[in-house]
Coordinates of all heavy atoms in Angstrom, one line a residue:
G19 N 8.3 -9.3 6.5 CA 7.3 -10.3 6.2 C 6.0 -9.6 5.8 O 5.7 -8.5 6.2
G20 N 5.2 -10.4 5.0 CA 4.0 -9.9 4.5 C 2.9 -9.9 5.6 O 3.0 -10.8 6.5
G21 N 2.0 -9.0 5.6 CA 0.9 -9.0 6.6 C -0.2 -10.1 6.3 O -0.2 -10.7 5.3
T22 N -1.0 -10.2 7.3 CA -2.1 -11.2 7.2 C -3.3 -10.6 6.6 O -3.7 -9.5 6.9 CB -2.5 -11.7 8.6 OG1 -1.3 -12.3 9.2 CG2 -3.6 -12.7 8.6
G23 N -3.9 -11.4 5.6 CA -5.1 -10.9 5.0 C -6.3 -10.8 5.9 O -6.4 -11.5 6.9
G24 N -7.2 -9.9 5.6 CA -8.4 -9.7 6.4 C -9.4 -10.8 6.3 O -9.6 -11.4 5.3
T25 N -10.1 -11.0 7.5 CA -11.2 -12.0 7.5 C -12.4 -11.4 6.8 O -12.8 -10.3 7.0 CB -11.5 -12.4 8.9 OG1 -10.3 -13.0 9.5 CG2 -12.7 -13.3 9.0
N26 N -13.1 -12.3 6.1 CA -14.3 -11.8 5.4 C -15.5 -12.7 5.8 O -15.5 -13.9 5.7 CB -14.1 -11.9 3.8 CG -15.4 -11.6 3.1 OD1 -16.1 -10.6 3.5 ND2 -15.7 -12.3 2.0
I27 N -16.5 -12.0 6.4 CA -17.7 -12.7 6.9 C -18.9 -12.1 6.2 O -19.1 -10.9 6.3 CB -17.9 -12.7 8.4 CG1 -16.6 -13.3 9.1 CG2 -19.1 -13.4 8.9 CD1 -16.6 -13.1 10.6
N28 N -19.7 -12.9 5.5 CA -20.8 -12.4 4.7 C -22.0 -13.2 5.0 O -22.0 -14.4 4.7 CB -20.5 -12.3 3.2 CG -21.5 -11.6 2.4 OD1 -22.4 -11.0 2.9 ND2 -21.4 -11.7 1.1
G29 N -23.1 -12.6 5.4 CA -24.4 -13.3 5.6 C -25.5 -12.7 4.9 O -25.7 -11.5 4.8
L30 N -26.4 -13.5 4.3 CA -27.6 -13.1 3.6 C -28.8 -13.8 4.0 O -28.8 -15.1 3.9 CB -27.3 -13.2 2.1 CG -28.5 -12.9 1.1 CD1 -28.9 -11.5 1.2 CD2 -28.1 -13.3 -0.3
I31 N -29.8 -13.1 4.5 CA -31.1 -13.7 4.8 C -32.1 -13.0 3.9 O -32.3 -11.8 3.9 CB -31.5 -13.5 6.3 CG1 -30.4 -14.1 7.3 CG2 -32.9 -14.0 6.6 CD1 -30.7 -13.8 8.7
V32 N -32.8 -13.9 3.1 CA -33.6 -13.3 2.0 C -34.8 -14.1 1.7 O -34.8 -15.3 1.8 CB -32.7 -13.1 0.8 CG1 -32.2 -14.4 0.3 CG2 -33.4 -12.3 -0.3
K33 N -35.9 -13.4 1.4 CA -37.1 -14.0 0.8 C -37.3 -13.4 -0.5 O -37.9 -12.3 -0.7 CB -38.3 -13.7 1.7 CG -39.6 -14.5 1.3 CD -40.7 -14.3 2.3 CE -41.9 -15.2 1.9 NZ -43.0 -15.0 2.8
S34 N -36.7 -14.1 -1.5 CA -36.5 -13.5 -2.8 C -36.4 -14.6 -3.9 O -36.1 -15.8 -3.5 CB -35.3 -12.6 -2.9 OG -35.1 -12.1 -4.2
K35 N -36.6 -14.2 -5.1 CA -36.6 -15.2 -6.2 C -35.2 -15.8 -6.5 O -35.0 -17.0 -6.6 CB -37.2 -14.6 -7.5 CG -37.2 -15.5 -8.7 CD -37.8 -14.8 -9.8 CE -37.8 -15.7 -11.1 NZ -38.3 -15.0 -12.3
N36 N -34.2 -14.9 -6.6 CA -32.8 -15.3 -7.0 C -31.8 -14.6 -6.2 O -31.1 -13.7 -6.6 CB -32.6 -14.9 -8.5 CG -33.5 -15.7 -9.4 OD1 -33.7 -16.9 -9.3 ND2 -34.1 -14.9 -10.4
P37 N -31.5 -15.1 -4.9 CA -30.4 -14.5 -4.1 C -29.1 -15.0 -4.6 O -28.9 -16.1 -5.0 CB -30.7 -15.1 -2.7 CG -31.4 -16.4 -3.0 CD -32.3 -16.2 -4.2
I38 N -28.1 -14.1 -4.6 CA -26.7 -14.4 -5.0 C -25.8 -13.8 -4.0 O -25.9 -12.7 -3.6 CB -26.4 -13.7 -6.4 CG1 -27.4 -14.3 -7.5 CG2 -25.0 -14.0 -6.8 CD1 -27.2 -13.6 -8.8
T39 N -24.9 -14.7 -3.5 CA -23.9 -14.3 -2.5 C -22.5 -14.5 -3.1 O -22.2 -15.7 -3.6 CB -24.0 -15.0 -1.2 OG1 -25.4 -15.0 -0.8 CG2 -23.1 -14.5 -0.1
F40 N -21.6 -13.5 -3.1 CA -20.3 -13.6 -3.7 C -19.3 -13.1 -2.6 O -19.4 -12.0 -2.1 CB -20.2 -12.8 -5.0 CG -18.8 -12.9 -5.6 CD1 -18.4 -14.1 -6.2 CD2 -18.0 -11.8 -5.6 CE1 -17.1 -14.1 -6.8 CE2 -16.8 -11.8 -6.2 CZ -16.3 -13.0 -6.8
N41 N -18.3 -13.9 -2.4 CA -17.3 -13.6 -1.3 C -15.9 -13.9 -1.7 O -15.6 -15.0 -2.3 CB -17.6 -14.5 0.0 CG -19.1 -14.5 0.3 OD1 -19.6 -13.5 0.9 ND2 -19.8 -15.5 -0.2
V42 N -15.0 -13.0 -1.4 CA -13.6 -13.2 -1.7 C -12.8 -12.9 -0.4 O -12.9 -11.8 0.2 CB -13.1 -12.3 -2.8 CG1 -11.6 -12.5 -3.1 CG2 -13.9 -12.6 -4.1
G43 N -11.9 -13.8 0.0 CA -11.1 -13.6 1.2 C -9.9 -12.7 0.9 O -9.4 -12.6 -0.2
G44 N -9.4 -12.0 1.9 CA -8.3 -11.1 1.8 C -7.0 -11.9 1.6 O -6.8 -12.9 2.3
S45 N -6.1 -11.5 0.7 CA -4.9 -12.2 0.5 C -3.8 -11.7 1.4 O -3.7 -10.5 1.8 CB -4.4 -12.0 -1.0 OG -5.3 -12.6 -1.8
G46 N -2.8 -12.6 1.8 CA -1.7 -12.2 2.6 C -0.7 -11.4 1.7 O -0.6 -11.6 0.5
G47 N 0.1 -10.6 2.4 CA 1.1 -9.8 1.7 C 2.4 -10.6 1.4 O 2.6 -11.6 2.0
D48 N 3.1 -10.2 0.4 CA 4.4 -10.9 0.0 C 5.5 -10.4 0.9 O 5.6 -9.3 1.4 CB 4.8 -10.5 -1.4 CG 3.8 -11.1 -2.4 OD1 3.1 -12.1 -2.1 OD2 3.7 -10.6 -3.6
G49 N 6.4 -11.4 1.3 CA 7.6 -11.0 2.0 C 8.6 -10.4 1.0 O 8.5 -10.5 -0.2
S50 N 9.6 -9.7 1.6 CA 10.6 -8.9 0.8 C 12.0 -9.5 0.9 O 12.3 -10.1 2.0 CB 10.5 -7.4 1.1 OG 9.4 -6.8 0.6
K51 N 12.8 -9.3 -0.1 CA 14.1 -9.8 -0.1 C 15.0 -9.1 0.9 O 14.9 -8.0 1.2 CB 14.7 -9.6 -1.5 CG 16.0 -10.3 -1.8 CD 16.4 -10.2 -3.2 CE 17.8 -10.8 -3.5 NZ 17.8 -12.3 -3.3
S52 N 15.9 -9.9 1.4 CA 16.9 -9.4 2.3 C 18.2 -9.0 1.6 O 18.4 -9.4 0.4 CB 17.3 -10.4 3.4 OG 17.7 -11.7 2.8
G53 N 19.0 -8.2 2.2 CA 20.3 -7.7 1.6 C 21.4 -8.7 1.8 O 21.4 -9.7 2.5
K54 N 22.5 -8.4 1.1 CA 23.8 -9.1 1.2 C 24.4 -8.8 2.5 O 24.4 -7.6 3.0 CB 24.7 -8.8 0.0 CG 26.0 -9.6 0.0 CD 26.8 -9.2 -1.2 CE 28.1 -10.0 -1.2 NZ 28.9 -9.7 -2.4
V55 N 25.1 -9.8 3.2 CA 25.7 -9.6 4.4 C 27.2 -10.0 4.3 O 27.5 -11.1 3.8 CB 25.1 -10.5 5.6 CG1 25.9 -10.4 6.8 CG2 23.6 -10.0 5.8
E56 N 28.1 -9.1 4.7 CA 29.5 -9.3 4.6 C 30.2 -8.9 5.9 O 30.0 -7.8 6.5 CB 30.1 -8.5 3.5 CG 31.6 -8.7 3.2 CD 32.1 -7.8 2.1 OE1 32.0 -6.6 2.2 OE2 32.7 -8.3 1.1
V57 N 31.0 -9.8 6.4 CA 31.8 -9.6 7.6 C 33.3 -9.9 7.3 O 33.6 -11.0 6.9 CB 31.4 -10.4 8.8 CG1 32.2 -10.1 10.0 CG2 29.9 -10.1 9.1
I58 N 34.2 -8.9 7.5 CA 35.6 -9.1 7.3 C 36.3 -8.6 8.6 O 36.1 -7.5 9.0 CB 36.1 -8.3 6.1 CG1 35.4 -8.8 4.8 CG2 37.6 -8.5 6.0 CD1 35.8 -8.0 3.6
R59 N 37.1 -9.5 9.2 CA 37.9 -9.2 10.3 C 39.4 -9.5 10.1 O 39.8 -10.7 9.9 CB 37.4 -10.0 11.6 CG 36.0 -9.7 11.9 CD 35.6 -10.3 13.3 NE 36.3 -9.6 14.4 CZ 37.3 -10.1 15.1 NH1 37.7 -11.3 14.8 NH2 37.8 -9.5 16.1
G60 N 40.2 -8.5 10.0 CA 41.6 -8.6 9.7 C 41.8 -9.1 8.3 O 41.0 -9.0 7.4
S61 N 43.0 -9.7 8.1 CA 43.3 -10.2 6.8 C 44.2 -11.4 6.9 O 44.7 -11.8 8.0 CB 44.0 -9.2 5.9 OG 45.3 -8.9 6.4
S62 N 44.5 -12.1 5.8 CA 45.3 -13.3 5.9 C 46.8 -12.9 6.3 O 47.5 -13.8 6.9 CB 45.4 -14.0 4.5 OG 45.9 -13.1 3.5
N63 N 47.2 -11.7 6.0 CA 48.5 -11.3 6.4 C 48.6 -10.6 7.8 O 49.6 -10.6 8.4 CB 49.1 -10.3 5.4 CG 49.2 -10.9 4.0 OD1 49.6 -12.1 3.9 ND2 49.0 -10.2 3.0
T64 N 47.4 -10.1 8.2 CA 47.3 -9.4 9.5 C 46.2 -10.0 10.3 O 45.1 -9.4 10.3 CB 47.2 -7.9 9.3 OG1 48.2 -7.5 8.4 CG2 47.3 -7.1 10.6

């Protein structure tokens, strides 16, 4: 399974003309494909 994205906390306290705050949250990871599963026990003749 994919991991959990990181939490992003951003705070700005400013006395200024043009404050800009830009924030991007962390993305979760992708899960991966599983393999083929085969089980054979005996045969139709045995």
Side-chain angles (χ1 to χ4, degrees):
T22 300
T25 296
N26 177 38
I27 301 175
N28 188 9
L30 174 64
I31 300 175
V32 62
K33 188 175 183 181
S34 176
K35 180 180 178 182
N36 296 315
I38 298 174
T39 309
F40 179 69
N41 314 277
V42 179
S45 294
D48 294 336
S50 288
K51 187 176 178 64
S52 55
K54 183 177 179 179
V55 175
E56 182 181 59
V57 178
I58 299 176
R59 300 190 68 253
S61 68
S62 58
N63 297 324
T64 310

